[in-house]
Amino acid sequence: MSPEQYAYRPERNAHDAIRQVHSLLKTGHTQVVDVDLAAYLDSIPHAELLKSVARRIVDRQVLHLIKMWLEVAVEETDERGRKKRTTRCRDEKRGVPQGSPLSPLLANLYMRRFVLGWRRKGFEARFKARIVTYADDLVICCKGSAAQALEAMRSLMAQIKLTVNEEKTRVCCVPDETFDFLGYTFGRYYSPRTGYVYLGSRPSKKSLRRVIERLRAETALRTGLLDTALIVQRINRLLRGWAEYFCLGPVSNSYRAIDRYTLRRLRRWLCNKHKVGSHGYTRFPDGYFYTQLGLVRLGPLTHTRPWANA
């Protein structure tokens, strides 16, 4: 695989891709093409994909097995819980089954076509443009004209039969504008202590909304009959996982906001569970959640995270 690809590879992860984008911005690649592909996994053409596979595998039986894997019927569950089998991939001769253990490798292999084409056609040198991709998440960081890089990207994607989502694909100029990549928002930030201006990243608003929605679901009224220790265990698992990923850049404000929301939801949940008529601040003070229930608090984790205040 090409070094521009970070997904589903040994000793590489999303944090490496985020750090690479941060490094490119700091070295002057501030003209950014924020690319969104329309249903990437569902639109990979089988014929072209199998050509890429056949360059590496000569065993016909293995190639036939991979083709069968691509065309296998998929069982899906609709909104009413009814299961149905679809053969869309076989009928349309495109797409890799989502959830298949082979699909990430095949998706990486096909994205490699774009990455190599970008370099071989001279776009990287012409626009001083570097690609960073994680699965179907893709940004092009340029020192040259991002508008011309966008047109080149459109042309190259059309050649490999992929569709660009024009509504979500855009050019942005950092630091005057911001863009989201892998759950982080990149742009201009200010140090709260010194006022120093720097290019960095922090958890995006969309990422915050998602974790809040999950916290709301865990503390919904329908969970009122569950044991308190189980609810706290679920919330701790959610908070630790979220903080483990969103630990780059200035995260203090995001951590504090999630801590406040978690306390408010869990206190309301306990009031409903124990039929407490008030807001519960007296019966369930903040210290009760952390000392007696063992609730995870994200605020203190800020100081132990790498690149927390970069």
Side-chain angles (χ1 to χ4, degrees):
M1 296 298 170
S2 300
E4 293 89 343
Q5 297 178 267
Y6 289 86
Y8 316 118
R9 300 182 61 186
E11 300 180 359
R12 287 194 167 212
N13 55 38
H15 282 174
D16 294 327
I18 293 164
R19 290 189 180 98
Q20 175 64 7
V21 172
H22 182 256
S23 176
L24 289 171
L25 292 176
K26 290 181 66 176
T27 55
H29 297 78
T30 54
Q31 299 290 322
V32 178
V33 183
D34 184 8
V35 183
D36 186 86
L37 297 178
Y40 172 61
L41 289 178
D42 292 334
S43 59
I44 297 176
H46 289 176
E48 286 74 8
L49 174 61
L50 289 172
K51 285 181 181 179
S52 297
V53 175
R55 293 191 182 100
R56 296 157 177 83
I57 299 175
V58 295
D59 190 315
R60 292 184 178 181
Q61 292 182 340
V62 175
L63 290 173
H64 180 63
L65 177 62
I66 294 174
K67 184 178 180 181
M68 291 174 61
W69 206 321
L70 290 174
E71 297 179 347
V72 69
V74 177
E75 187 177 84
E76 299 176 343
T77 304
D78 61 17
E79 296 178 353
R80 298 182 179 180
R82 298 176 299 184
K83 294 183 178 180
K84 62 178 181 178
R85 292 167 64 88
T86 63
T87 56
R88 183 190 55 78
C89 291
R90 183 179 64 192
D91 299 339
E92 298 179 3
K93 299 187 183 303
R94 62 175 52 246
V96 295
Q98 297 192 33
S100 163
L102 188 62
S103 295
L105 175 61
L106 296 178
N108 260 359
L109 185 60
Y110 200 72
M111 181 59 73
R112 184 174 182 270
R113 280 193 163 202
F114 170 76
V115 174
L116 292 181
W118 184 264
R119 194 181 304 131
R120 290 173 179 174
K121 288 180 177 293
F123 297 145
E124 180 178 301
R126 187 185 310 172
F127 308 121
K128 297 181 180 179
R130 302 281 298 278
I131 293 173
V132 180
T133 175
Y134 189 93
D136 59 341
D137 287 306
L138 173 68
V139 292
I140 305 174
C141 300
C142 316
K143 284 186 176 180
S145 172
Q148 292 180 332
L150 173 60
E151 292 301 320
M153 181 274 298
R154 286 194 183 111
S155 174
L156 190 52
M157 287 296 183
Q159 292 179 38
I160 60 176
K161 301 182 179 180
L162 295 179
T163 304
V164 177
N165 186 343
E166 297 294 346
E167 293 183 359
K168 296 183 178 181
T169 297
R170 66 190 184 99
V171 170
C172 73
C173 180
V174 180
D176 296 330
E177 299 174 282
T178 63
F179 68 95
D180 290 352
F181 181 61
L182 296 180
Y184 282 83
T185 297
F186 291 82
R188 177 196 289 127
Y189 296 100
Y190 300 87
S191 171
R193 291 175 296 182
T194 64
Y196 175 75
V197 181
Y198 63 94
L199 294 178
S201 65
R202 67 183 178 189
S204 67
K205 293 181 179 179
K206 187 175 182 180
S207 301
L208 289 172
R209 285 196 300 268
R210 285 178 176 174
V211 71
I212 285 174
E213 289 172 0
R214 293 182 63 186
L215 287 168
R216 184 184 296 120
E218 292 290 353
T219 54
L221 289 176
R222 58 180 174 77
T223 65
L225 295 178
L226 297 178
D227 184 68
T228 302
L230 177 61
I231 294 297
V232 172
Q233 181 183 10
R234 289 180 176 179
I235 291 176
N236 284 347
R237 187 183 304 117
L238 170 61
L239 294 178
R240 287 193 184 100
W242 193 88
E244 193 68 30
Y245 181 76
F246 291 101
C247 61
L248 303 180
V251 297
S252 301
N253 291 339
S254 299
Y255 281 12
R256 283 194 292 267
I258 293 175
D259 282 340
R260 289 194 298 268
Y261 183 82
T262 303
L263 284 176
R264 186 165 67 250
R265 288 293 302 185
L266 193 52
R267 182 178 286 115
R268 182 183 300 176
W269 183 86
L270 285 172
C271 287
N272 290 328
K273 182 179 180 65
H274 297 288
K275 310 300 181 183
V276 177
S278 65
H279 293 291
Y281 291 103
T282 301
R283 184 169 177 180
F284 306 114
D286 292 357
Y288 170 78
F289 295 97
Y290 298 121
T291 59
Q292 297 189 42
L293 296 184
L295 180 67
V296 167
R297 189 174 184 178
L298 299 186
L301 299 180
T302 304
H303 304 293
T304 64
R305 300 295 175 178
W307 189 25
N309 298 301

